[in-house]
Amino acid sequence: MIIYGCDFSGAKNPEGKIFVASGRLDGDSLTVEEVSSCEDRLDLYYLIRNSRAPWGVDFPFSIPEYYLGQQYDSSWDKFIQGAYEDSREQFKQRFGQIHSGKNSRDLRVTDIAVDAKSPVSSTPIAMHAMLYGARRLLHNLQGEAAVYPFQPYRAEVPRLYEIYPGHGWKALKLKSSAPDVLRDLSASFKAQVDSGFEVTISPAAAAAAVDARGQANLHARDAVMACIQMAYCLRQYKLESNEEECRPAFASQEEWEMRMLEGLVVRMFP
């Protein structure tokens, strides 16, 4: 099975900041084969639409329940359908100035679980800018992709899962900026997560995760991590089985109960 991982940029100019890693999952083994950049979000849309594979993408699929109820009548469908109702600045004004999302009202339950920033925060990172672009991408993929956990699994279309690469690096006790992190990744995965799962990074993928100056490209490395998390979670938690939908082991009961409003960050559970 082909697996994709994506590091997404919500910046006004995403050139050089959107990376896609592709790998092949074969039983208990994943080989990350390629890493490439997208010059525009339209390129990413094209890649997703023309695949029939699972995608682990690192942007928020929804917003905290408080804001969903206040702005979109507690409806995820209405939130997505309204993607073109606001300009970027108007969308920002919906939430006001939120610093890092430390207030629980500004965080989804699943954000708290993975120690992520609020999707609607404006500082120190403009997460709402990422959310703005991500929401439009999801809007344009309506009917052409299945978005977990809001929509049922469909084998004939691409499947999108929310992934937080930062949680993966923490689970492996690695820093994405470390020079030899891709070399050390397999051993760390076996020691920290699952000794029975083999992760291989191809020389081509490793080379593509370095910039023109020979420095670590953190966006590319996060795409690699998203691919690894996606592959392992599919294998470990049977996310695409045809069995009756049930709560995966990584999710708390509260997260699961809120999933149709706030979404669910898919993650390794060491």
Side-chain angles (χ1 to χ4, degrees):
M1 175 188 286
I2 301 299
I3 309 287
Y4 292 94
C6 174
D7 182 75
F8 181 82
S9 172
K12 293 179 181 179
N13 177 15
E15 184 177 355
K17 297 180 181 178
I18 298 177
F19 279 80
V20 172
S22 62
R24 185 174 299 275
L25 178 63
D26 184 10
D28 295 332
S29 177
L30 170 73
T31 301
V32 180
E33 298 176 332
E34 296 181 3
V35 178
S36 58
S37 64
C38 294
E39 293 186 353
D40 191 274
R41 284 186 289 272
L42 185 60
D43 300 328
L44 177 59
Y45 166 75
Y46 177 84
L47 289 174
I48 293 174
R49 190 193 65 181
N50 287 282
S51 72
R52 294 185 179 180
W55 284 75
V57 290
D58 76 331
F59 58 70
F61 288 2
S62 188
I63 58 178
E65 179 191 24
Y66 171 81
Y67 295 97
L68 194 68
Q70 186 182 64
Q71 304 283 350
Y72 303 100
D73 298 331
S74 296
S75 167
W76 182 78
D77 286 334
K78 185 174 181 180
F79 170 68
I80 297 300
Q81 290 166 7
Y84 286 88
E85 292 177 353
D86 300 328
S87 67
R88 185 178 290 269
E89 185 61 29
Q90 287 170 332
F91 185 67
K92 175 182 177 180
Q93 294 303 319
R94 279 183 176 268
F95 311 111
Q97 188 78 1
I98 296 174
H99 179 74
S100 74
K102 296 301 182 182
N103 188 321
S104 61
R105 187 189 74 177
D106 303 331
L107 292 159
R108 299 174 298 167
V109 176
T110 200
D111 294 322
I112 296 171
V114 298
D115 194 27
K117 291 180 172 60
S118 165
V120 297
S121 64
S122 50
T123 60
I125 297 174
M127 287 294 294
H128 62 73
M130 178 181 291
L131 179 66
Y132 179 80
R135 181 185 178 212
R136 289 192 165 190
L137 179 61
L138 293 179
H139 174 90
N140 284 293
L141 285 167
Q142 287 183 104
E144 299 183 278
V147 181
Y148 180 88
F150 301 101
Q151 298 165 339
Y153 166 73
R154 293 160 56 202
E156 72 277 11
V157 300
R159 287 85 69 190
L160 272 60
Y161 298 83
E162 183 176 344
I163 295 283
Y164 179 42
H167 186 269
W169 293 116
K170 289 179 183 177
L172 270 60
K173 298 184 178 180
L174 294 173
K175 291 185 178 181
S176 61
S177 59
D180 297 323
V181 69
L182 296 184
R183 184 197 65 188
D184 299 337
L185 198 150
S186 178
S188 293
F189 195 100
K190 288 179 177 293
Q192 305 298 334
V193 180
D194 189 336
S195 61
F197 191 77
E198 188 70 39
V199 177
T200 302
I201 311 296
S202 75
V210 177
D211 65 21
R213 299 172 299 170
Q215 301 297 310
N217 186 316
L218 301 187
H219 298 291
R221 288 184 173 187
D222 277 353
V224 170
M225 178 54 69
C227 183
I228 293 168
Q229 290 172 288
M230 186 76 267
Y232 182 72
C233 289
L234 285 177
R235 175 260 197 186
Q236 184 69 9
Y237 304 117
K238 308 294 189 294
L239 297 178
E240 297 198 335
S241 73
N242 293 321
E243 300 172 2
E244 184 177 349
E245 186 177 293
C246 60
R247 177 170 63 91
F250 61 78
S252 69
Q253 185 62 39
E254 185 179 8
E255 280 181 277
W256 189 244
E257 291 172 357
M258 293 293 291
R259 71 191 186 282
M260 300 307 289
L261 297 175
E262 296 189 338
L264 186 65
V265 177
V266 173
R267 58 195 182 272
M268 301 178 296
F269 186 66

